[in-house]
């Protein structure tokens, strides 16, 4: 089992920034992929960004140029730096830790972008 603890959500004005963090513990793996997903109210969960242990990243088109995912392998921690936030970024953001076909999820952290 892998446990994930997220932090960093909150309320921010449009154009502002937030940084999310997610730390993994338990039976972590050297072949894991970590990522962030989000679910807005009334919508399906969608991928935001993922990063491999080697640092290869993948971003959803709607966050390219605004969000940056990074990872500290020594700490088993993944970060999501979110800049130029828009109201449509409002959602619950979930951390994901994947080892092959096995996925673990964090509890989610609310991000609200509003003036």
């Amino acid at each position: 089992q892998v446990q994930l603890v997220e932090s960093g959500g909150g309320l921010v004005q449009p154009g502002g920034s937030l940084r999310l963090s997610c730390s993994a513990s338990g039976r972590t793996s050297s072949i894991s992929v970590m990522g962030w997903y989000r679910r807005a109210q009334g919508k399906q969960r969608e991928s935001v960004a993922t990063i491999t242990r080697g640092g290869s990243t993948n971003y959803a088109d709607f966050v390219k140029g605004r969000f940056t995912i990074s990872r500290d392998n020594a700490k088993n921690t993944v970060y999501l730096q979110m800049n130029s936030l828009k109201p449509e970024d409002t959602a619950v953001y979930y951390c994901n830790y994947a080892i092959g076909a096995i996925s673990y999820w964090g509890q989610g952290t609310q991000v609200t972008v509003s003036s």
Side-chain angles (χ1 to χ4, degrees):
Q1 287 282 9
V2 174
Q3 294 77 43
L4 301 173
V5 177
E6 301 152 343
S7 62
L11 173 64
V12 64
Q13 293 186 341
S17 298
L18 281 175
R19 188 192 195 208
L20 305 182
S21 299
C22 172
S23 295
S25 62
R27 302 190 67 175
T28 58
S29 169
S30 62
I31 59 170
S32 61
V33 176
M34 298 186 77
W36 292 95
Y37 292 70
R38 71 186 189 186
R39 177 179 285 152
Q41 192 170 7
K43 296 186 178 181
Q44 290 187 332
R45 184 174 62 198
E46 57 188 357
S47 176
V48 175
T50 60
I51 185 167
T52 67
R53 189 173 178 86
S56 296
T57 58
N58 191 41
Y59 293 94
D61 287 343
F62 54 78
V63 303
K64 284 181 179 177
R66 300 189 298 126
F67 292 8
T68 302
I69 190 170
S70 60
R71 179 171 178 164
D72 185 333
N73 291 327
K75 297 180 179 179
N76 282 316
T77 299
V78 64
Y79 306 96
L80 186 68
Q81 178 65 43
M82 304 185 293
N83 299 328
S84 302
L85 282 161
K86 305 175 182 179
E88 51 263 45
D89 293 318
T90 295
V92 178
Y93 284 71
Y94 296 91
C95 176
N96 176 265
Y97 188 97
I99 307 171
I102 302 173
S103 245
Y104 299 93
W105 294 93
Q107 78 282 1
T109 184
Q110 176 70 46
V111 171
T112 302
V113 185
S114 175
S115 55

